[in-house]
Amino acid sequence: MENWSVEQVCNWLKQRNLGELVPKFREEEVSGAALLALNDRMVQQLVKKIGHQAVLMDLIKKYQQQKSGLESFTYCCETASQKFQEVISGKNLKSFFARHRTLQWTSPYALPDFPYDVKCILAEKKCPDHSMRIRIIEFLQADMTKYLEGSLYPNSQQYNIVVNALLQAYPFLDEDGNGFLLWKRALKDRFKYVRRPIEDDEQVLRNKCKFGHRRGQTRKSSFAENKLDDIQVQVEEEPAHLKGSAMDLHIKWLKQEYMKTQRNWEEVDNRMNVTIEIRRKMISDKAPLKDILRLFPFLRCPYQLFREFELLTHMDIYKKTVEILEIYSENILSLYVVRNNPINIMLQENLKQHTEEDVLKYMKMTAACLLLPEVFGDDSSLFAAVNEEVKAVTPVLEVKNPFNVNSCEFALYVEREEIAQLDDCTMALAALVAAFHVFNIPCPKRIHRTLNFLESLVFEVRNPASLP
């Protein structure tokens, strides 16, 4: 390969279904020697799609391993054949090879080399904040994609292996014994986020058709529309009070950074701090929500939504919501008023199928969250749309398959537009309460008692509202 010409490299790409990369490789005159010298940064500049980046880096890595005499495949075969010798017979031969293919992925897996700032946090055994957790998840997702040769659909066992490797290397990340479920959900959501805008990947489209993701197609088009809006905004003139000011530069930087896969979260925090005054003025002046999100797209990120809430109220909304659900979930589920509710019935049916303590706790907290409006006699359609279309204009949650650990989805909607994807019921409930305050939206009367109960606990008032 070292002596290959540019044309030979292009032919090699075509043979491996990477023909889309050929024009760029010709333009940059990438020969065989140059190909083997590519590092991660160069690949990112050459190749736009994450899946193609992962496949290309993996192919280069495999070639280099073969060249240096590493025979990991043979070793894995020998080890597997010794360990599972009793399996290789007649009917079990097919299952043995299927299991062996899994072993090839799992047995040599090692955590990726995290960036320096992440290493420092982990070395100090500090519990990472939300932005740092996102960075860890991004690197795990990119590393898994390499191992899967560009596939964006890991199976459950592969998720388990990666999360177990993370928690074994850094046990302090297993917060109160709930870390495994939380990290696994975050990793799965990261893969969903990466797959969402993809329109031309055969595997992604095939899976979307297979599982009937009409909702996914809507997200895809809205993502494209948002991206087009952001590009157009860079060309259009900003409002008069921003034009020609330093604030204009901050806003342009935020819009450009939002479009990146890997973001400088520390700088995002700084620039969101600097621009908060103009942002609050727009919100208090009743500027259209679309204009606010167009100029400050990071308000679509749950972490920044919570951070904005904390800047306004000096309260950690996510932490408070965790405490509320942990304290009140059992009491809510024991109330007579919710005993025959469809959500409670659904919960009881799903509880029978699981024995893991973390999963059971997660399901109960989810049910308690969704049943809150029923407890106070409020209109639940203004709180959450469970397995149905969002109809409310005010902030509301969209919830799909709430008790399915592998396929549950939470999203925050405002004015019938999806604002943010959320990891779990705790984050969803925190985002709902935060949205009313951050976007200065009056609470509807038909959901007032539920939100009053939550807010009285979040703000630690002297006589908080209590359950009926």
Side-chain angles (χ1 to χ4, degrees), residues 49-51 150 152-153 191-205 208 216-217 219-220 223:
K49 294 180 182 176
I50 293 176
L152 296 174
Y153 288 91
F191 271 95
K192 287 181 185 177
Y193 176 82
V194 171
R195 293 194 298 258
R196 195 189 314 164
I198 295 177
E199 300 183 13
D200 54 357
D201 184 279
E202 183 180 347
Q203 185 191 26
V204 174
L205 292 177
K208 284 183 177 180
Q217 293 169 6
R219 283 183 181 167
K220 180 175 64 181
F223 180 91

Side-chain angles (χ1 to χ4, degrees), residues 172-186:
F172 59 91
L173 294 178
D174 190 7
E175 304 164 13
D176 301 324
N178 296 323
F180 180 85
L181 186 64
L182 295 175
W183 284 99
K184 183 178 178 180
R185 281 251 21 109

Side-chain angles (χ1 to χ4, degrees), residues 119-397:
K119 286 181 181 177
C120 290
I121 294 292
L122 296 176
E124 294 173 7
K125 297 186 177 179
K126 290 183 178 179
C127 190
D129 60 18
H130 190 74
S131 61
M132 190 60 68
R133 290 170 76 94
I134 290 174
R135 295 203 66 201
I136 293 171
I137 287 296
E138 286 177 348
F139 276 84
L140 287 177
Q141 179 268 318
D143 193 60
M144 285 181 72
T145 305
K146 289 181 183 179
Y147 271 86
L148 294 167
E149 298 184 350
S151 172
L152 296 174
Y153 288 91
N155 60 37
S156 183
Q157 183 187 9
Q158 289 161 348
Y159 280 121
N160 293 344
I161 287 165
V162 172
V163 175
N164 276 325
L166 179 69
L167 297 184
Q168 285 174 10
Y170 307 105
F172 59 91
L173 294 178
D174 190 7
E175 304 164 13
D176 301 324
N178 296 323
F180 180 85
L181 186 64
L182 295 175
W183 284 99
K184 183 178 178 180
R185 281 251 21 109
L187 192 55
K188 294 179 75 173
D189 287 339
R190 176 63 191 172
F191 271 95
K192 287 181 185 177
Y193 176 82
V194 171
R195 293 194 298 258
R196 195 189 314 164
I198 295 177
E199 300 183 13
D200 54 357
D201 184 279
E202 183 180 347
Q203 185 191 26
V204 174
L205 292 177
R206 187 169 62 247
N207 276 277
K208 284 183 177 180
C209 292
K210 178 180 177 182
F211 295 107
H213 284 187
R214 288 179 296 174
R215 181 171 173 269
Q217 293 169 6
T218 303
R219 283 183 181 167
K220 180 175 64 181
S221 61
S222 73
F223 180 91
E225 289 166 6
N226 289 337
K227 186 170 183 179
L228 181 61
D229 285 345
D230 282 336
I231 293 170
Q232 289 173 344
V233 166
Q234 294 174 18
V235 181
E236 295 170 358
E237 288 190 355
E238 302 290 3
H241 54 276
L242 297 178
K243 188 176 179 182
S245 66
M247 201 69 67
D248 182 24
L249 299 176
H250 291 306
I251 291 173
K252 284 185 177 179
W253 185 92
L254 287 168
K255 289 187 293 187
Q256 291 168 0
E257 191 71 9
Y258 183 73
M259 301 308 298
K260 296 180 181 178
T261 304
Q262 296 184 10
R263 297 152 178 168
N264 184 345
W265 287 105
E266 184 177 354
E267 186 63 20
V268 169
D269 290 349
N270 293 336
R271 295 190 186 239
M272 289 293 282
N273 284 347
V274 172
T275 56
I276 188 169
E277 186 177 346
I278 189 66
R279 188 162 60 252
R280 300 318 306 169
K281 187 178 189 307
M282 289 181 67
I283 291 172
S284 65
D285 290 345
K286 305 297 182 184
L289 180 64
K290 287 185 177 180
D291 290 347
I292 296 167
L293 294 175
R294 188 185 63 185
L295 296 178
F296 303 100
F298 277 101
L299 287 179
R300 293 179 178 273
C301 299
Y303 162 70
Q304 286 296 335
L305 189 65
F306 299 158
R307 194 170 176 278
E308 187 93 350
F309 182 90
E310 189 167 359
L311 290 172
L312 296 173
T313 65
H314 306 291
M315 288 291 178
D316 186 337
I317 182 71
Y318 182 76
K319 181 180 178 182
K320 289 292 182 183
T321 307
V322 172
E323 293 172 0
I324 292 168
L325 286 179
E326 287 183 345
I327 293 171
Y328 287 93
S329 58
E330 291 290 348
N331 291 338
I332 292 169
L333 296 177
S334 66
L335 293 173
Y336 180 79
V337 70
V338 302
R339 196 161 297 172
N340 296 320
N341 188 280
I343 290 175
N344 199 12
I345 294 171
M346 197 189 312
L347 167 68
Q348 300 306 323
E349 291 175 353
N350 280 273
L351 288 177
K352 298 173 186 176
Q353 302 172 17
H354 297 275
T355 56
E356 302 93 334
E357 187 176 341
D358 290 345
V359 175
L360 298 178
K361 181 181 177 181
Y362 170 81
M363 287 183 175
K364 289 179 179 179
M365 288 174 67
T366 302
C369 170
L370 299 177
L371 288 169
L372 263 176
E374 302 293 337
V375 171
F376 290 94
D378 281 339
D379 186 347
S380 59
S381 68
L382 297 178
F383 185 84
V386 182
N387 293 331
E388 60 184 30
E389 184 182 355
V390 169
K391 297 178 181 177
V393 178
T394 53
V396 67
L397 300 176

Side-chain angles (χ1 to χ4, degrees), residues 104-119:
Q104 287 181 7
W105 191 90
T106 61
S107 59
Y109 182 77
L111 290 172
D113 187 22
F114 290 116
Y116 178 74
D117 57 336
V118 177
K119 286 181 181 177

